[in-house]
Amino acid sequence: MRLSFKHRLYPNLAQRAALTGMLRAFRDRYNAALQQRIEAYRRRGISLRYGNQARELKAVRTEDELLAGFPRFPPKRRFDSAEFRVGDGLTIRKTKRLGIAGVPGEIKAKWHRDLPPEAKVGAAVVS
């Protein structure tokens, strides 16, 4: 059985700026990938798939899903959250604070209730 818990985070100013910058980078990356798909279809008449772009993104990172219908460039308000997986950018400290890769320090969280003892946290959505 999967359960979902919602907890409030209290990032300091530096952490808030890092999280905002991270969401901006996610939006920019999404828009760049969308622009690449549009240009590939217009110029060569081919449809790029997620796998093609994921392989190319790995190469791009060293240097610095399929969409239904016609895709659009999302506005800033649509990128208000990001999912982080435990062990891949997210750590939950024993102090009940969150550690997120790219964010300085530990983010204070208000745990309104404890997780069940048998619970295993796999991911968290930060919004």
Side-chain angles (χ1 to χ4, degrees), residues 2 8 15-16 25-26 29 33 36 51-52 58 63 67 77 90 116 127:
R2 289 186 178 201
R8 183 165 170 87
Q15 293 167 339
R16 187 180 302 254
F26 292 161
R29 192 172 298 137
Q36 183 183 28
N52 301 31
K58 288 178 184 177
E63 292 177 10
L67 299 170
R77 71 181 184 283
L90 174 72
S127 61

Side-chain angles (χ1 to χ4, degrees), residues 4-43:
S4 176
F5 295 91
K6 195 180 277 192
H7 302 287
R8 183 165 170 87
L9 299 179
Y10 295 93
N12 60 31
L13 290 177
Q15 293 167 339
R16 187 180 302 254
L19 288 169
T20 301
M22 192 178 297
L23 289 175
R24 185 179 305 117
F26 292 161
R27 183 183 72 237
D28 292 344
R29 192 172 298 137
Y30 177 90
N31 286 340
L34 178 57
Q35 183 65 36
Q36 183 183 28
R37 286 182 181 201
I38 292 170
E39 289 298 319
Y41 188 78
R42 282 185 184 159
R43 293 181 183 188

Side-chain angles (χ1 to χ4, degrees), residues 6-7 10 19 22 25-26 37 43 47 49 56 65-66 68-69 75 80 83 87 90 97 99 110 126:
K6 195 180 277 192
H7 302 287
Y10 295 93
L19 288 169
M22 192 178 297
F26 292 161
R37 286 182 181 201
R43 293 181 183 188
S47 295
R49 300 286 182 226
E56 189 172 320
E65 318 148 2
L66 298 175
D80 62 349
E83 181 176 353
L90 174 72
R97 292 178 178 229
K110 177 159 176 71
V126 178

